[in-house]
Amino acid sequence: MNKQGTFDLPAAPEAATPAEGDLELAVEQAIEACGGDAREAVKALLVANGFLENEIAELRAAVSKGYSRGRHAAQRDRKE
């Protein structure tokens, strides 16, 4: 939190990319959490990602374009 009481967010997604060592640790933790089965870890992460994408879509729909100052474009239909 900064002096104004708000959070500083990275300007671009690349700025939020974890360090290589952190990413490897996260991979190991995800696989371990799924009993050592990498396929199950991938499935769990895909389910979690889908949940987060739905949350983002709901939040975008709830925030007006004026309030967000046009920082988010209208959600386009995704091809599955």
Side-chain angles (χ1 to χ4, degrees):
M1 192 176 287
N2 61 24
K3 292 178 183 177
Q4 290 82 22
T6 60
F7 293 97
D8 292 322
L9 298 176
E14 297 81 35
T17 303
E20 184 67 28
D22 293 342
L23 188 55
E24 289 299 320
L25 178 61
V27 168
E28 293 301 321
Q29 289 173 343
I31 293 172
E32 184 179 325
C34 293
D37 187 345
R39 261 181 89 77
E40 289 301 315
V42 170
K43 283 194 240 179
L45 292 170
L46 288 171
V47 168
N49 191 50
F51 173 78
L52 293 172
E53 286 179 350
N54 287 334
E55 288 288 309
I56 289 170
E58 289 176 15
L59 291 170
R60 279 189 175 151
V63 174
S64 72
K65 186 173 181 178
Y67 180 77
S68 66
R69 298 182 183 155
R71 283 182 257 194
H72 64 81
Q75 187 75 4
R76 289 187 243 152
D77 290 332
R78 230 174 95 184
K79 292 182 181 180
E80 297 293 326

